[in-house]
Amino acid sequence: MELLLSLCFFLLFSSVAPTREVSFSSCSAQFEAIRTTLNSSGVHLPLHHRQSPCSPSASLQSDLPFSFLLHHDARRVSYLSHRLTAGRPVSLPLSQGSSLGVGNYVARILIGTPAKPFSVIVDTGSSLSWLQCLPCKVSCHAQVGALFNPAASSTYAQVPCSASACSALSSATLNPSSCTRSGYCVYAATYGDSSFSVGYLSQDTLALSPTSIHGFVFGCGQDNEGLFGRSDGLIGLAKDRLSFLSQLSTSYGNSFSYCLPSSAGTGYLSFGSYTPANLAFTPMVTSSLDKSLYFLKLTGITVQSRSLSVSASVYAGTPTIIDSGTVITRLPDEIYAALSKAVVTAVGKKRQRAAAYSILDTCYVGSGVGMAVPDVQLVFAGGAVMKLPSRNVMVDVEKGRTCLAFAAAGGVAIIGNRQQEGFKVVYDVGKGRIGFSAGQCR
């Protein structure tokens, strides 16, 4: 009742949806093979493509149309662009989340005493982590496992309004906190696309191997609505003090890395030391537009080893972020138009053009598999280069149609997860740099 009185503007009516557990045991060997190639220290969590049979949501696979993911993607980009243009102030398995109804990647974490598993969206564009929780006083969407039950954990506690973590919510969620009549902190995390999570700010034990994080702060969601698919919640990896990264930094250092896998493989999300060999680094840029997001400088794009006919000033004047939750890379209009033109010229008449598909307007008849896709490279400050494999350049949006996996987005550039797929990406916040290395999901 107290939560409803504190947040009456979020009242919507729904019932708790049925849930079920999913086993990961059959896929553990695949990740163990990857673990041996990683630095033995730190935390390593498996990361799966959203359509992989090893996904935590494999039992809930669905024929989710790619247009739905693009619609979701467009809303997310609109939200991120608004944040920027308005100037508002361990390894885990990762899987792609289309079977959960999201375009993000999904990891499994363990919380509580005894520890229980939850499949959560991994998001570098937000800070507060949260789970759907019993008694789910307002609304919970269908998810892959059981809702988190605070009463079943001997180490669970609600965070009082007097705690510093409650005061930190305004920067972590861009929304003010509120209090129950009993003096406990209430959070409201909104995502700019009509999605939101509202509930009690809480703390419990986050079980990691080989150690655990006691007093891990997260949201215990009582009203969770929007484009979260069938996920159990979300972990935020942005730079705010309440983020998943910040709370692990004392034990594992101020850096993390991941490799976003294809549907045929398994990737990882790692916290702790990393091996810099074979990594090309670009400086992490600090921006007053949003201090929690990961900015970098895109200095050029080449197609067939030729630079696009775009002035260096256009690149220099473009805020650019890298984001795990945006699927399709967005480029300012002038840069995108030049890229599209260069790709069309390179493909020539080898493939018949097809109609646009949602936000994607450079499309061809047939599949991208077997297509003579031109070489595309993203060039960053400091000399770091992402030489994109053909599957990172084109995306099959439906049977018989493939499109350039880039789109126009006004004056903001976002490096999306389609282009990052198959690369090891290191976010070294401590040293202020981002590193790339191709083919590291094996």
Side-chain angles (χ1 to χ4, degrees):
M1 184 63 181
E2 291 176 311
L3 179 69
L4 302 185
L5 290 173
S6 299
L7 296 163
C8 60
F9 56 94
F10 273 110
L11 283 179
L12 292 172
F13 298 95
S14 181
S15 60
V16 178
T19 59
R20 51 177 163 168
E21 295 284 353
V22 179
S23 173
F24 254 52
S25 59
S26 62
C27 295
S28 61
Q30 188 179 40
F31 177 63
E32 286 305 315
I34 296 174
R35 189 194 296 271
T36 61
T37 68
L38 302 173
N39 190 303
S40 59
S41 63
V43 177
H44 309 296
L45 305 176
L47 182 66
H48 301 285
H49 188 283
R50 55 183 172 264
Q51 295 174 333
S52 168
C54 288
S55 169
S57 57
S59 62
L60 294 175
Q61 290 283 348
S62 62
D63 295 326
L64 192 69
F66 196 71
S67 58
F68 177 85
L69 296 183
L70 291 179
H71 179 65
H72 182 186
D73 211 39
R75 287 188 171 188
R76 178 183 180 87
V77 169
S78 177
Y79 167 61
L80 290 173
S81 297
H82 175 73
R83 283 173 61 177
L84 300 181
T85 57
R88 295 183 65 177
V90 185
S91 190
L92 294 168
L94 285 181
S95 62
Q96 280 203 356
S98 61
S99 58
L100 293 181
V102 294
N104 309 64
Y105 285 75
V106 179
R108 176 163 284 203
I109 60 173
L110 297 167
I111 289 185
T113 306
K116 300 292 184 182
F118 300 94
S119 296
V120 291
I121 293 169
V122 174
D123 186 9
T124 59
S126 62
S127 296
L128 183 68
S129 302
W130 56 268
L131 294 174
Q132 296 200 115
C133 290
L134 291 174
C136 194
K137 292 187 175 181
V138 183
S139 178
C140 285
H141 54 261
Q143 65 177 52
V144 296
L147 297 175
F148 178 74
N149 184 2
S153 174
S154 62
T155 48
Y156 173 84
Q158 289 186 13
V159 174
C161 281
S162 58
S164 61
C166 188
S167 301
L169 279 176
S170 59
S171 63
T173 65
L174 303 182
N175 293 308
S177 62
S178 59
C179 295
T180 67
R181 289 180 175 177
S182 301
Y184 290 107
C185 188
V186 174
Y187 75 91
T190 54
Y191 298 91
D193 59 0
S194 300
S195 299
F196 62 85
S197 175
V198 180
Y200 303 111
L201 192 64
S202 306
Q203 59 184 23
D204 207 334
T205 297
L206 173 68
L208 299 170
S209 178
T211 61
S212 295
I213 304 298
H214 302 288
F216 174 73
V217 177
F218 67 103
C220 195
Q222 302 295 309
D223 188 5
N224 317 292
E225 303 183 39
L227 300 174
F228 304 120
R230 296 185 180 93
S231 65
D232 300 344
L234 177 148
I235 56 173
L237 292 173
K239 291 183 288 185
D240 185 85
R241 59 164 287 197
L242 289 185
S243 77
F244 198 86
L245 168 65
S246 295
Q247 294 192 64
L248 268 62
S249 62
T250 300
S251 299
Y252 298 104
N254 203 13
S255 69
F256 69 95
S257 63
Y258 58 59
C259 189
L260 307 181
S262 68
S263 58
T266 298
Y268 56 83
L269 170 63
S270 295
F271 298 87
S273 60
Y274 62 90
T275 302
N278 301 320
L279 285 163
F281 289 97
T282 185
M284 188 179 292
V285 178
T286 299
S287 174
S288 60
L289 297 175
D290 193 314
K291 295 181 180 179
S292 69
L293 299 178
Y294 295 101
F295 287 83
L296 66 176
K297 288 185 179 180
L298 179 67
T299 59
I301 298 178
T302 67
V303 177
Q304 299 295 76
S305 300
R306 294 184 178 181
S307 297
L308 299 182
S309 299
V310 177
S311 169
S313 63
V314 176
Y315 290 105
T318 300
T320 304
I321 64 172
I322 182 169
D323 180 39
S324 69
T326 299
V327 179
I328 301 297
T329 287
R330 301 309 207 277
L331 298 170
D333 294 342
E334 184 176 346
I335 299 176
Y336 173 73
L339 174 62
S340 175
K341 180 180 179 180
V343 169
V344 170
T345 299
V347 174
K349 297 181 179 180
K350 300 172 187 177
R351 279 290 184 101
Q352 180 183 346
R353 290 292 299 272
Y357 183 92
S358 183
I359 60 172
L360 307 180
D361 61 13
T362 307
C363 301
Y364 291 88
V365 173
S367 170
V369 177
M371 179 179 178
V373 178
D375 172 71
V376 175
Q377 299 186 35
L378 307 181
V379 183
F380 299 95
V385 176
M386 293 182 73
K387 183 177 180 180
L388 302 180
S390 59
R391 73 175 316 277
N392 295 35
V393 177
M394 306 298 294
V395 57
D396 289 344
V397 296
E398 62 182 4
K399 186 176 181 180
R401 180 159 40 167
T402 188
C403 300
L404 179 65
F406 292 79
V412 175
I414 303 174
I415 309 303
N417 63 42
R418 179 73 184 192
Q419 283 61 46
Q420 297 175 57
E421 195 172 286
F423 286 83
K424 178 177 182 178
V425 183
V426 173
Y427 295 72
D428 192 334
V429 178
K431 293 185 177 180
R433 61 184 186 175
I434 296 174
F436 305 101
S437 181
Q440 296 295 306
C441 281
R442 297 189 299 271

